[in-house]
Amino acid sequence: MTDTREIELTVNGTERSIEVEPRRLLVHAIREDLDLTGTHIGCDTGNCGACTVLLDGEPIKSCLLFAAQADGSEVMTVEAMEDLPESDGLHPLQEGFHEEHGLQCGYCTPGMIMSGKALLDENPDPSEEEIREAISGNLCRCTGYQNIVKSIEYAAEELAAQPAADGGTVAVDGNDSTPPTEADTDAPDPFEGYEVADDGEFTCGAENCCGGPSTDAEHRGDNV
Amino acid sequence: MSSETDDVPVADTEYQHDEDGGPDPEKHHGHGRGGMGEEVKRKEDKRFITGRGNYVDDIKKPGMLHCEIVRSPHAHARIENIDTSRAMDVDGVVAVLTAEDLAAHELATMPTLMDDTQDVLVNDKVKFQSQEVAAVIATDRYIAKDGAEKVDVDYEVLDPVVTAEEALEADAPLIRDELEDQEDNHIFDWDVGDKEATDRVFEEADVTVEEQMEYQRLHPAPIETCGCVADWDPGKDKITVHLTSQAPHAHRTLFSQVSGIPEHKVRIVSPDIGGGFGNKVPIYPGYVVAAAASVVLEQPVKWMEERSENIQTTGFARDYDMTGELAATEDGIIKGVRTDVLANHGAYNAVAQPSKFPAGFFNIFTGSYDIEAAYGSLTAAFTNTAPGGVAYRCSFRVTEAVYLIERMVKVLAQELDMDPAEIRRRNFIQPEQFPYESPTGWNYDSGDYEKALDLALDMADYDHYREEQQRRIEEDADKLIGIGISSFTEVVGAGPGKSCDIAGIEMFDSADIRVNPTGNAVLRVGVQTQGQGHETTFAQIVAEELGMDVENISVEHGDTDTDPYGLGTYGSRSTPVAGAATAVAARKVRDKAKTIAANELEAAEEDIEWDRESGHFHVAGAPDRSITITEIAASAYMHHPSSEEPGLEAVNYYDPPEMTYPFGSYIVVVEIDRETGEVDFEKFVAVDDCGNRINPMVIEGQIHGGLAQGIGTAMMEHVTYDENGNCTGGDFMNYLLPTANEIPNFETGYTVTPSPHHPIGAKGVGESPTVGSPPAIVNAVVDAMAHAGTTHVEMR
């Protein structure tokens, strides 16, 4: 099992090169090879979302992707939030979680914040229902979610109140971190080998599985 | 000058504020310094929202190895052979341990907290699926897994039993055949109360009702699983174990006893813990294996279980099959309660609870009601399932007790065709009856149950929903309304040393406050937060007691080398026990500070007054001759009075005189679709009374989280086994935790009935919502169908 390959990732704005086995999960590469331990592991079935990071601007569960699949991609983890231009020390999302008591043990928090960021990038003024849907692939055992919803609402308000800088785009260390278009990236398709539904939603291929952070609720939501 | 018991305010239902006795609940908006009652934002947040928390799996040590456990695919099987040779051939595998290797160090088995012995690794007979059989130690977690797949184990499969009922049948397979004198799967019988008096009350009663109900097996499933990094230092003959531990000091003692390493050479560190919920109280085989491997290999060894291992092998919760009975008069006065329970304890009796309470505090099953006679009996059985029982915000089986009584009150209300709020009102223990001695031996500290119920009814718009319910029935509507109530009494804060101990150690807790020369302070406590906010709320207690700014107080915990010995955090005991210790230690500091103040202000000590409002000492009648704790701290180090030692610090080990008994009334309104059976929460009202409130924001967070777990309990969660003993509910695909989509917004309210025996009048609260909400939810679902004659619906 020493068959490794070198992959290049832009992680939180910095280019990193690591040697990985093909089977190495992205979450382990992030945590153990890059020492970014804010991203957590809470399950072994793709349900909990504690490992959520942004891959080329999209929220993904990094336990459901091999590191090699992320070769050439841009990865953003919770550690980069403070460096975003809209952050004044802390990012409004981080501030929101603190102000609204949106965390307790803190274990789901990094993944929750990344799902919150993905939502607000797409939809700066989400309804409560849209927030709940967007974080329905992120399990929290401590808060009962109510204050997490408030935290994301707080961030949306804070961001809306900020003067739109740079035409509203967001940069990490000068790199544009908004989702790249086909034209401006030559990264290999991270979902190569996986089924991508027509609507662009990620499905991991396993029957009755998660479908990524934003669609998780569809097969879980009817339990109540 | 007293510092302990004289300081404790005496109160019935009103908190008595006196000069040194504690904060006045009427002034709970605080003094702006972050003391009692203020919604101080959490000090611990910053590291978590920036990804800088330090959890066990974040720890990396030079030369660190990884441990993967080989687990049994069978629920019940004899092991014929274990062949580790193919595993040892895997490049990167350093060692493969079996029971034989551990036996050489007398570590193949370990004692449980309930006088049983649990296998660490098995080489004779596995007793539940996924049980630990061997351990592979390798340079990387992937290689460890490769190795684990190459450990070849031959099994002779035996018939399993998975329910307590089956296990107690005469011809059931014997699970614990290694125990001498163990001829069946029976563990113990337990009973409480006056059987004769209770039977008499039932014979004479106008009305009796009976219902059978199952509190299904659950799992606390903290988002972070259990794990450790064990690091033996052969230079110091000392082992350091970073551990997902809710009770690091108790674990140090147990580690020492199990391993034979003297206690001063064992250091347990609980770093940040990603949720506990009772799951991280017991010692698990993985910890022992990692520690043994580190000692043998003289390298750090990390063991971090995966989710499926967590659900399938670590401490489960509940699994009580209960029969409940009530005896009452025609006008709804409850005269007696009787219950009989069949308890499934799994393959080992490894319940994490005080040693003298084999059924935990289940005997609080008379609830919030003044009942003449009560009797309860219970039989516990071994089964081929994972061990556990006490976990998941249960306060030592109070979840089960409250479910029983609150369900039964609803059953009785239906039988008598009475309003369930009214029947509770008629039976409540009245405020003037406290302290109230219950027929099963508890001594409730304080309560005003009707006040909490009235507030909840008002918040829930109860009358409106009763009318709406009737209207929908009359109109034969598609969606029915159900209203469920639960008016519960908790018992938390274990506990008084005379009755409560963990493996012989009395259940006190501790605080150690050191004020620095520049006027800030470090508080060290014997409890261990897993997200409940102790680093903030314990600082608030000190801020309140010493007139300091909360910013200037650091709270440390979890390191047994530096923190005072405590029993840990579970059973909502932190505020009742370590919170009390913190206040008492702070008052010791304040006593000394007063002496220093007198010296500095050149006044007699009797003339020095402590002004809680300003946080200053001043000379009586001359408020401008005052001194702050910062100035006093400097004096303590720079020119201390000759009558005193230099420095300013104090320790308290607090043996609580009693438990605390928080209470609440929860009201749940559901709408049920008659076609699909889908249940929607229309309204979810939770009124809690935990006495004086340290940080309302943190309490509210505890309530939200606990209610979500109550919804999970009632609607989604169930660890299931098939007839072959396969755990069919053992991962997040099958053990369903509520997501943001299933959890409604909660409306919380509170009343304040301080605990008269607690130094700051505070009671525990963390587990109340999970204790109180499942019966309210089930009562609501049953209520929606009550007109059709439904009296009970199981949660599973």
Side-chain angles (χ1 to χ4, degrees), chain B residues 357-376:
Chain B
F357 295 85
F361 300 160
F362 181 70
N363 54 334
I364 189 124
F365 63 75
T366 56
S368 307
Y369 313 104
D370 186 11
I371 300 176
E372 198 177 309
Y375 177 73

Side-chain angles (χ1 to χ4, degrees), chain A:
Chain A
M1 282 299 168
T2 50
D3 174 26
T4 62
R5 60 179 286 195
E6 188 173 319
I7 61 168
E8 309 270 344
L9 300 168
T10 304
V11 182
N12 298 337
T14 304
E15 287 197 20
R16 304 288 297 264
S17 167
I18 51 172
E19 288 274 333
V20 292
E21 286 183 65
R23 64 175 177 173
R24 192 162 186 77
L25 297 174
L26 179 59
V27 68
H28 287 133
I30 290 170
R31 288 179 47 80
E32 295 177 1
D33 302 334
L34 301 168
D35 289 325
L36 295 168
T37 55
T39 302
H40 296 144
I41 300 170
C43 73
D44 47 13
T45 47
N47 297 87
C48 84
C51 64
T52 304
V53 300
L54 301 189
L55 187 75
D56 295 331
E58 294 294 323
I60 57 121
K61 293 180 175 179
S62 59
C63 76
L64 290 178
L65 210 65
F66 296 117
Q69 289 173 284
D71 190 10
S73 305
E74 220 170 83
V75 174
M76 182 179 168
T77 68
V78 70
E79 286 89 348
M81 295 294 288
E82 291 161 89
D83 298 327
L84 296 172
E86 65 270 35
S87 302
D88 177 18
L90 292 173
H91 186 275
L93 267 165
Q94 295 171 311
E95 220 174 82
F97 276 74
H98 177 59
E99 291 294 324
E100 300 292 345
H101 191 31
L103 69 150
Q104 291 179 29
C105 81
Y107 202 75
C108 77
T109 309
M112 237 4 132
I113 286 177
M114 299 319 287
S115 285
K117 164 137 178 67
L119 169 68
L120 297 184
D121 286 349
E122 280 283 308
N123 178 1
D125 185 23
S127 65
E128 181 189 330
E129 204 180 4
E130 287 168 328
I131 294 172
R132 286 183 177 272
E133 186 65 22
I135 60 168
S136 63
N138 293 78
L139 296 174
C140 169
R141 202 60 163 153
C142 295
T143 65
Y145 301 106
Q146 193 163 331
N147 287 348
I148 292 179
V149 172
K150 282 195 204 165
S151 304
I152 294 173
E153 284 169 348
Y154 175 102
E157 278 167 34
E158 284 291 306
L159 286 166
Q162 284 187 359
D166 194 21
T169 59
V170 165
V172 185
D173 292 353
N175 291 310
D176 186 345
S177 76
T178 49
T181 61
E182 290 285 340
D184 61 33
T185 176
D186 52 8
D189 179 6
F191 303 123
E192 196 178 350
Y194 284 80
E195 189 189 331
V196 178
D198 286 339
D199 57 6
E201 281 179 352
F202 175 83
T203 48
C204 70
E207 194 185 345
N208 199 23
C209 190
C210 71
S214 64
T215 58
D216 211 20
E218 285 169 19
H219 59 267
R220 295 185 57 97
D222 295 332
N223 293 309
V224 165

